[in-house]
């Protein structure tokens, strides 16, 4: 029985699959083109894909005996869940183990944007630092600012804890209010109130372009937008306009499209700090994600209930859409 893993994974988790007698094929390298994925998935009973692999009905049909798609991520917007349901293929993910790392990166982006860290580092490295001045590279003081979290699950709550330590006030929006010590606000009210807006919802048909032009414009002048969730939550073109206008800045770990082409206007904006989807990229975190993905995969193949099953949602992305692309659409 063969398992396809679409990237090399840190740590030794894959050894567990080999010890169970499974043949493990690993794609060594970066992006796995669709044509190659289609060839290599043939005959696989298990698949461990990354967020960059679009796992649609065509992929599933090529792997006739496929039993489990064990995502190496908590987000599952790259998998056509409806197609998996129709083929009785189990889908699993890796929640919890990446929560703290992703919250850490959210704070790293917030500090980088608010205190102009990337600009300052470039200023120094480029030899422009000749003298100290009281008005050089002035940024935002975090203490006393209001952080508006959109999505208040595992990562949103972990970001809230960190924000309190910086003396920020926390408000949030989610589908339903939670028994938490922070005020719940309707989204529009949150956008009018918060000094920093940080996105932590999954990408679904309801959240696609949640931050559209109208909402970006309704944010207070001088606000920071953070996105460590999914690029498709934000209208990128409108964000570029807002960053040239009333926003203080943006910290983006995810973009739409993803990756951003090197000549993208976002890279030319000094108030945008962009990282290449590294929210969970702590070594220990990435090793634990591999262990969780392997445990989920083995559980399904051995007829046990996997620890992290993904509920099939009553929607599916268009199989024509490409990974992270703004072309994504849902039935
Ligand atoms: P989670 O625990 O499931 O939390 C998701 C939150 O989003 C919940 O509070 C949920 O509200 C809210 N939500 C869902 N749909 C909504 C809607 N239509 N409107 C408003 N709120 C909505 O997920 P998590 O573990 O925190 O992860 C969140 C996302 O972060 C993942 O789906 C993934 O895409 C992304 N992520 C990115 C990275 C990275 O590398 N940058 C790493 C990890 C995760 P309810 O509680 O009311 O249902």
């Amino acid at each position: 029985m063969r398992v396809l893993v679409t990237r090399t994974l840190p740590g030794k988790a894959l050894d567990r699959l080999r010890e169970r007698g499974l043949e493990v094929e690993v794609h060594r390298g970066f992006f796995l083109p669709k044509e190659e994925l289609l060839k290599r998935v043939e005959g696989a009973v298990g698949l461990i894909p990354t967020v960059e692999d679009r796992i649609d009905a065509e992929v599933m049909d090529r792997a006739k005996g496929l039993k489990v798609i064990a995502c190496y991520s908590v987000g599952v917007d790259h998998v056509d869940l409806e197609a998996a349901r129709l083929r009785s293929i189990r889908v699993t993910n890796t929640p919890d183990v990446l929560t703290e790392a992703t919250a850490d990166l959210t704070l790293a982006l917030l500090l980088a944007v608010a205190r102009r860290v990337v600009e300052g580092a470039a200023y120094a490295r480029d030899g422009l630092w000749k003298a100290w001045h009281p008005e050089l590279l002035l940024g935002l003081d975090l203490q006393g600012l209001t952080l508006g979290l959109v999505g208040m699950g595992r990562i949103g709550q972990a970001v809230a804890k960190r924000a309190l330590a910086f003396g920020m006030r926390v408000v949030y929006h989610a589908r339903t209010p939670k028994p938490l010590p922070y005020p719940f606000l309707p989204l529009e009210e949150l956008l009018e109130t918060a000094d920093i807006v940080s996105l932590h919802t999954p990408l679904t048909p309801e959240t696609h372009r949640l931050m559209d032009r109208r909402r970006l414009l309704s944010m207070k002048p001088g606000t920071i937008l953070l996105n460590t969730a999914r690029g498709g939550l934000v209208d990128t073109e409108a964000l570029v306009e807002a960053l040239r206008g009333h926003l203080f800045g943006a910290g983006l770990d995810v973009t739409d499209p993803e990756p951003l082409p090197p000549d993208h206007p976002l890279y030319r904006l000094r108030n945008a700090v962009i990282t290449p989807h590294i929210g969970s990229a702590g070594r220990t975190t990435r090793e634990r994600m591999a262990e969780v993905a392997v445990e989920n995969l083995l559980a399904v193949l051995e007829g046990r209930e996997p620890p992290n099953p993904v509920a099939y949602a009553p929607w599916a992305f268009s199989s024509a859409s490409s990974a992270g692309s703004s072309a994504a659409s849902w039935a």
Side-chain angles (χ1 to χ4, degrees):
M1 292 208 294
R2 199 163 64 82
V3 171
L4 176 64
V5 185
T6 66
R7 302 290 183 283
T8 48
L9 302 181
K12 301 195 181 313
L14 296 181
D15 290 348
R16 244 187 105 197
L17 298 177
R18 298 186 184 98
E19 284 159 14
R20 304 284 170 111
L22 290 162
E23 184 194 330
V24 181
E25 182 178 337
V26 180
H27 169 67
R28 295 179 200 286
F30 277 79
F31 186 68
L32 177 61
K34 177 79 179 279
E35 281 312 309
E36 205 183 326
L37 171 62
L38 287 172
K39 274 189 216 143
R40 291 173 77 166
V41 81
E42 272 180 40
V45 292
L47 175 62
I48 301 185
T50 70
V51 290
E52 217 172 40
D53 306 300
R54 210 75 183 156
I55 309 302
D56 57 17
E58 196 183 1
V59 174
M60 296 177 206
D61 285 340
R62 198 61 86 84
K64 287 280 177 241
L66 191 64
K67 292 189 168 47
V68 52
I69 299 166
C71 296
Y72 186 70
S73 56
V74 63
V76 291
D77 48 282
H78 56 302
V79 177
D80 186 334
L81 296 177
E82 179 61 6
R85 185 185 69 80
L86 292 171
R87 291 159 182 77
S88 303
I89 299 169
R90 296 299 300 270
V91 180
T92 65
N93 66 349
T94 62
D96 302 313
V97 291
L98 44 56
T99 297
E100 305 301 328
T102 309
D104 286 349
L105 190 85
T106 308
L107 264 289
L109 287 173
L110 172 54
L111 287 163
V113 176
R115 297 301 304 277
R116 303 172 65 179
V117 174
V118 176
E119 252 183 288
Y123 184 88
R125 190 184 299 114
D126 293 348
L128 301 172
W129 182 21
K130 308 285 188 203
W132 189 89
H133 192 281
E135 290 187 316
L136 179 65
L137 287 164
L138 293 182
L140 295 184
D141 294 295
L142 294 185
Q143 178 146 29
L145 294 189
T146 298
L147 171 66
L149 294 162
V150 180
M152 198 54 162
R154 291 166 291 243
I155 298 170
Q157 291 181 42
V159 171
K161 274 196 252 164
R162 286 157 175 77
L164 294 185
F166 280 86
M168 286 183 258
R169 175 176 173 258
V170 173
V171 298
Y172 77 96
H173 173 76
R175 281 178 299 195
T176 50
K178 331 252 157 250
L180 290 169
Y182 318 108
F184 171 92
L185 296 180
L187 182 55
E188 313 304 335
E189 200 180 318
L190 180 145
L191 295 177
E192 287 163 15
T193 309
D195 303 296
I196 301 142
V197 174
S198 192
L199 308 179
H200 301 286
T201 71
L203 178 60
T204 67
E206 292 77 37
T207 61
H208 184 239
R209 298 274 168 94
L210 188 73
M211 293 305 292
D212 58 13
R213 185 176 301 271
R214 183 181 59 81
R215 288 196 172 124
L216 286 165
L217 286 175
S218 73
M219 289 166 74
K220 288 199 308 189
T223 304
I224 292 176
L225 178 72
L226 302 172
N227 188 4
T228 57
R230 284 292 180 268
L233 300 177
V234 180
D235 177 339
T236 305
E237 209 175 294
L239 176 62
V240 169
E241 278 173 44
L243 284 169
R244 287 184 180 136
H246 71 297
L247 294 190
F248 182 85
L252 310 170
D253 184 49
V254 288
T255 57
D256 181 12
E258 191 171 309
L260 275 185
D263 59 348
H264 197 278
L266 269 177
Y267 286 130
R268 293 201 291 277
L269 297 172
R270 276 189 307 178
N271 55 350
V273 176
I274 299 154
T275 49
H277 204 146
I278 55 170
S280 63
R283 177 165 292 283
T284 307
T285 296
R286 287 279 169 87
E287 289 181 3
R288 292 181 70 194
M289 287 166 65
E291 286 160 15
V292 172
V294 161
E295 173 52 25
N296 278 311
L297 186 133
L298 280 176
V300 174
L301 294 186
E302 291 172 356
R304 293 181 280 120
E305 183 57 19
N308 310 107
V310 171
Y312 296 118
W315 52 268
F317 65 79
S318 153
S319 56
S321 63
S322 61
S325 156
S326 57
S329 62
W330 289 269

